[in-house]
Amino acid sequence: MVVLAILEQGNRVREFLSPLKEIPDFSALEIISYTLTTDASLIVLYPGIIPDGGGPVLLAYSPLETDTQELERSIEENRLIFGLLDLDKELKLQIPLIREFLGIKKKTQDLEKIEEKVKNLRARTSSQLDIIKKTFEKLVPLRSSKNSGVNIYVKFASGMSQGGEFFDFINVSLESLIIWNRTKTYKGSNNFLDHFKHWEQTKYDLPKLEEFVKSLNPEDGQEIFLGQIDLKTLSFSGLNISDCFFYFKGDKEIVRSTFDDLKPFNIKLERGERFLILSSGAMESFKQLNPKLDLTNKLNELRLLTPREALDELFFELKRNLKKKFLPADAAIILVEVDENVIFQI
């Protein structure tokens, strides 16, 4: 025999007997009206306090002792009430309702277990992502340079395309120069490096950079970016013959040139400013591996991270869907940060 017992504040109020074996889990079911426990959301004796949350409630009531209008209001106000259990009727007559209620309750409990599993999985996944990111930091090293209040950080990863990218930065008296080049052949890369090695200067102002570009014999499809930061005035000037992506705060813009039509850029930097340069190879790899990423939005989110964390996060997004050892193309991401207290001429 199955006993369905209703207890109020620990005292047995009423019980039903049933020969049905479909509900053996309730051979000693407590129904508590006023005390919140893990089982308080099963069945509540009316009038009683309906527990907040916890799944559906079966409201047990006696028609002869109940104000039906008050009961109707209680049902309207509380969405957790699944149905009504008439205490003046035999349990046999209410088995279909109880059976359905127990089925709904089981589904609710199953969903709670699934939610707990999902929560635990998220925690484990987050932990695993942290491990991956820390490992990734070692696999993709960071280069950095500091010069009189201007800091440059660069992260680079190799790709499968021929030729490739080359980057470097040179610090001279009160100047920092960023150099980036991309060619389609290894011969083109070697030609650029040889040419730059013979041309190296003690000063890298805009006229010198124009002189260097004009003296090049570029191959088809070659890209180049030369940017000089004048530490006396915090101006950033140079030449951009590339499909690189430039991220600045506000409406600052790097104009694009060609080898036949040079259009120098000149931008005024500010204390505490940070900007990024994503090479054309990095942009190609993003397009192939993570095309749905909103890059501008992602870069906005990274503003509060340290330079190391920001570059690690970008390369993690870049390699998120990578199934091979190398990226589709060489990828360099350069982050430039101006100190808050840097001293310069106004």
Side-chain angles (χ1 to χ4, degrees), residues 65-331:
E65 301 171 4
T66 302
D67 184 336
T68 54
Q69 290 184 345
E70 287 292 332
L71 179 59
E72 287 175 3
R73 275 196 290 271
S74 179
I75 294 172
E76 289 176 357
E77 293 172 0
N78 199 312
R79 296 181 180 180
L80 290 177
I81 298 175
F82 171 79
L84 300 175
L85 182 66
D86 189 340
L87 297 179
D88 291 344
K89 293 181 180 178
E90 292 186 20
L91 182 61
K92 291 181 182 179
L93 299 177
Q94 302 179 85
I95 288 299
L97 173 64
I98 294 175
R99 185 184 292 120
E100 186 177 359
F101 169 71
L102 296 181
I104 293 294
K105 184 62 185 174
K106 184 176 184 305
K107 289 179 181 178
T108 301
Q109 291 172 339
D110 290 343
L111 286 174
E112 289 173 353
K113 290 178 182 177
I114 292 173
E115 288 177 0
E116 185 65 25
K117 288 181 180 178
V118 171
K119 183 179 178 181
N120 292 335
L121 180 61
R122 283 177 178 169
R124 289 198 300 272
T125 302
S126 177
S127 176
Q128 290 168 358
L129 284 176
D130 289 340
I131 294 172
I132 292 171
K133 287 181 179 181
K134 287 178 181 178
T135 304
F136 183 73
E137 288 178 12
K138 298 176 182 178
L139 293 175
V140 186
L142 178 76
R143 282 187 58 191
S144 63
S145 168
K146 297 187 177 183
N147 189 15
S148 300
V150 173
N151 310 316
I152 303 174
Y153 305 87
V154 184
K155 209 159 190 181
F156 176 82
S158 298
M160 294 185 293
S161 58
Q162 287 189 340
E165 297 185 358
F166 164 81
F167 71 90
D168 202 353
F169 33 78
I170 298 175
N171 293 324
V172 294
S173 178
L174 295 176
E175 288 183 27
S176 287
L177 176 68
I178 298 172
I179 311 156
W180 175 87
N181 175 74
R182 186 185 187 191
T183 55
K184 294 183 177 180
T185 67
Y186 295 115
K187 181 180 178 181
S189 295
N190 291 332
N191 287 340
F192 174 82
L193 293 175
D194 289 341
H195 187 73
F196 186 82
K197 197 171 184 181
H198 287 97
W199 176 81
E200 278 190 274
Q201 306 286 314
T202 57
K203 185 175 180 61
Y204 294 96
D205 56 13
L206 195 53
K208 291 287 186 182
L209 298 182
E210 290 183 355
E211 175 189 309
F212 171 75
V213 173
K214 289 176 180 178
S215 65
L216 272 174
N217 183 23
E219 70 173 22
D220 290 342
Q222 183 170 351
E223 299 177 59
I224 186 172
F225 174 83
L226 300 172
Q228 181 246 32
I229 302 175
D230 186 330
L231 303 176
K232 299 189 300 294
T233 60
L234 279 191
S235 62
F236 182 44
S237 58
L239 296 161
N240 170 44
I241 308 171
S242 77
D243 292 323
C244 294
F245 180 80
F246 302 90
Y247 174 83
F248 286 91
K249 174 186 174 183
D251 57 357
K252 297 175 182 178
E253 184 181 1
I254 299 284
V255 295
R256 195 183 193 287
S257 299
T258 66
F259 284 103
D260 296 325
D261 183 17
L262 296 181
K263 297 177 181 178
F265 66 85
N266 196 312
I267 291 175
K268 182 69 175 179
L269 301 178
E270 302 169 12
R271 287 192 178 100
E273 182 169 2
R274 175 191 287 186
F275 67 88
L276 289 105
I277 304 171
L278 282 70
S279 72
S280 58
M283 297 304 294
E284 286 180 16
S285 295
F286 265 122
K287 188 175 181 180
Q288 291 187 44
L289 298 174
N290 202 346
K292 294 183 180 180
L293 177 69
D294 187 333
L295 186 57
T296 300
N297 186 54
K298 186 65 181 180
L299 292 171
N300 288 335
E301 293 174 357
L302 301 179
R303 284 185 296 178
L304 298 179
L305 299 182
T306 65
R308 168 104 219 191
E309 291 171 337
L311 290 175
D312 285 344
E313 186 68 23
L314 280 174
F315 266 88
F316 181 76
E317 290 293 344
L318 182 60
K319 291 195 169 187
R320 179 184 288 274
N321 300 314
L322 184 63
K323 296 180 181 179
K324 299 179 181 179
K325 186 176 181 179
F326 297 104
L327 293 169
D330 286 359

Side-chain angles (χ1 to χ4, degrees), residues 1-3 18-27 91-92 95-96 98-103 106:
M1 301 291 285
V2 175
V3 179
S18 171
L20 295 181
K21 296 181 180 180
E22 287 90 338
I23 50 174
D25 293 341
F26 287 78
S27 56
L91 182 61
K92 291 181 182 179
I95 288 299
I98 294 175
R99 185 184 292 120
E100 186 177 359
F101 169 71
L102 296 181
K106 184 176 184 305

Side-chain angles (χ1 to χ4, degrees), residues 23-34:
I23 50 174
D25 293 341
F26 287 78
S27 56
L29 171 66
E30 274 202 354
I31 305 162
I32 304 173
S33 299
Y34 304 106

